Amino acid sequence: MSNVSIFQSSEERLFLPIMSTLYNQFAQPYGWLIFRIIFGGMLVIEGWPKILDPFAQVGFVEHLGFYPGWLWSPLLAVMQFFGGMFIVAGFLTRPVAIANAVMLAITLWFHFSHPYGHAFLTPAGIEALQAGSDFFTPEGISRLSDGGVKFLHLVQLKAYLASLFWTVGTLLIAAFGGGYFSIDRLMKKQF
């Protein structure tokens, strides 16, 4: 490995040396802060319903093989909600991000191992839809005319991509830590 920092934009390495100050003193520290705030904030938002009902995920986590569910479900809630707050503040950023990355990698695995299925409707359901009904909006009819195959595949793709995005994002935060604007930076030692 090289001892040259890939994030240090020295004037000698830039085609436009005048940009060095902008990159080093503004774009990189503030860009990383915004990235960390968005990721941590979204973990807080996703964790809030779990904090309100910390045992709601007991069956789900046990279905994934994490026993006892009464322990893992509240732990998941705390990790997302308070972990998100820690990431926003840049406090214990790396260990909290690693814990969330593991949880999000399990989510990614879950979406691959438990796909939504092929369609929403059975052939009889498609027939009932095509017969006309006041139960469906025109948009619903257009999305479900093939039984929901195209729509469900789109939802599945979004689940894969979102889980991949969240997993990689938290791994990046774990790799690079809190950054310039963080409590971690103020501490004498970091993880």
Side-chain angles (χ1 to χ4, degrees):
M1 288 287 169
S2 171
N3 61 358
V4 176
S5 172
I6 61 170
F7 295 108
Q8 197 59 3
S9 302
S10 62
E11 291 183 9
E12 307 82 52
R13 295 184 64 217
L14 295 174
F15 287 109
L16 298 173
I18 195 167
M19 300 300 286
S20 176
T21 302
L22 174 70
Y23 294 153
N24 290 327
Q25 294 180 15
F26 180 75
Q28 291 172 1
Y30 286 100
W32 189 250
L33 174 66
I34 290 167
F35 181 75
R36 206 183 71 227
I37 288 171
I38 289 171
F39 260 79
M42 291 305 294
L43 285 169
V44 169
I45 291 168
E46 288 291 319
W48 177 245
K50 294 175 181 91
I51 286 292
L52 294 177
D53 190 359
F55 295 102
Q57 301 285 319
V58 169
F60 178 69
V61 294
E62 286 184 351
H63 173 72
L64 293 177
F66 292 91
Y67 294 95
W70 59 263
L71 171 69
W72 287 104
S73 181
L75 187 61
L76 174 67
V78 167
M79 185 170 49
Q80 272 192 305
F81 185 75
F82 293 106
M85 287 183 177
F86 278 34
I87 289 172
V88 167
F91 179 62
L92 302 176
T93 310
R94 285 188 171 117
V96 168
I98 287 170
N100 275 285
V102 169
M103 178 265 303
L104 291 162
I106 292 168
T107 303
L108 178 61
W109 165 82
F110 175 79
H111 284 299
F112 277 101
S113 64
H114 296 80
Y116 290 120
H118 177 67
F120 282 125
L121 301 177
T122 64
I126 295 171
E127 206 174 291
L129 178 74
Q130 291 171 344
S133 170
D134 292 338
F135 293 120
F136 300 103
T137 64
E139 294 83 11
I141 292 171
S142 70
R143 286 203 171 112
L144 296 176
S145 63
D146 65 350
V149 173
K150 289 179 193 167
F151 179 72
L152 203 53
H153 285 299
L154 179 62
V155 170
Q156 187 70 54
L157 178 63
K158 295 288 184 183
Y160 293 152
L161 295 177
S163 294
L164 181 63
F165 172 78
W166 285 107
T167 303
V168 171
T170 51
L171 285 172
L172 279 172
I173 293 170
F176 294 104
Y180 188 81
F181 300 108
S182 67
I183 295 172
D184 288 345
R185 184 172 175 269
L186 301 174
M187 296 173 18
K188 298 220 186 263
K189 289 193 175 195
Q190 298 180 33
F191 284 93

